[in-house]
Amino acid sequence: MTTWVVLGARYILLASPDEPAPVDAVYALGVVSPERLDRAVDLIEAGHSDHLVMTVSSEAHWGEFCRREHGFTVTCVTPDPLTTRGEARSWARLAEQHDWDSVMVITMVPHLGRAEMYFQRCFSGELVMVDDGRDMESAVWVRQLFYESAAFVRYALSRGC
């Protein structure tokens, strides 16, 4: 129980986002919310990258945004499986195809630690982990604590990318 509390506090509740930095691409994780997409676009417009990668669950959901012209490159991916591990694998393939050495990953604070661990397994380049700025109510934090705890167990039991 003590281990769970310590690890939960360190990797979920008290996860510390990095400061934004110049990278080859910004990757908005999860099925992207409008707020997360806004954060990603703001970071690109601030000059941190000119490539946006975003997870979509289907073309229908974000298809228009994915096809529209922007002042930056947009790559929409549907990882298989549609999980954090799948996203890390998708990123590793994209990074290899484009010869990218760095990425800024955007997700919610409780997800930062586990996302970073999966990306470190699949990608040897520079990782900048940034929160999406989402304000979460107490009930969401509690739900995320339990969800992320179970997801960390799944991570610990998995091997390789």
Side-chain angles (χ1 to χ4, degrees), residues 99-112:
D99 200 29
W100 288 337
D101 298 317
S102 59
V103 63
M104 186 180 327
V105 176
I106 303 174
T107 191
M108 63 182 156
V109 170
H111 187 227
L112 284 171

Side-chain angles (χ1 to χ4, degrees), residues 32-104:
V32 177
S33 66
E35 298 81 14
R36 193 168 296 165
L37 179 58
D38 288 345
R39 174 83 161 128
V41 170
D42 287 347
L43 290 165
I44 288 171
E45 290 176 346
H48 294 291
S49 183
D50 55 1
H51 300 282
L52 169 63
V53 177
M54 57 189 273
T55 295
V56 296
S57 61
S58 68
E59 271 299 308
H61 185 71
W62 284 106
E64 181 183 332
F65 182 87
C66 295
R67 288 187 297 273
R68 195 169 64 223
E69 289 292 319
H70 303 275
F72 50 89
T73 304
V74 176
T75 303
C76 294
V77 297
T78 304
D80 183 23
L82 190 56
T83 62
T84 305
R85 187 178 192 182
E87 289 173 313
R89 289 173 176 168
S90 291
W91 168 254
R93 284 190 296 274
L94 279 172
E96 187 174 330
Q97 290 169 3
H98 296 280
D99 200 29
W100 288 337
D101 298 317
S102 59
V103 63
M104 186 180 327

Side-chain angles (χ1 to χ4, degrees), residues 90-142:
S90 291
W91 168 254
R93 284 190 296 274
L94 279 172
E96 187 174 330
Q97 290 169 3
H98 296 280
D99 200 29
W100 288 337
D101 298 317
S102 59
V103 63
M104 186 180 327
V105 176
I106 303 174
T107 191
M108 63 182 156
V109 170
H111 187 227
L112 284 171
R114 186 170 57 86
E116 182 174 23
M117 293 165 79
Y118 272 120
F119 273 72
Q120 286 173 337
R121 274 191 182 173
C122 298
F123 177 65
S124 62
E126 178 188 358
L127 288 175
V128 179
M129 304 301 294
V130 178
D131 73 287
D132 60 9
R134 177 181 173 190
D135 287 326
M136 295 190 301
E137 297 175 4
S138 298
V140 175
W141 276 102
V142 170

Side-chain angles (χ1 to χ4, degrees), residues 4 8 12 114 143-154:
W4 177 71
I12 301 169
R114 186 170 57 86
R143 186 172 56 246
Q144 285 301 312
L145 176 61
F146 285 101
Y147 177 86
E148 289 295 329
S149 295
F152 266 106
V153 170
R154 189 170 57 236

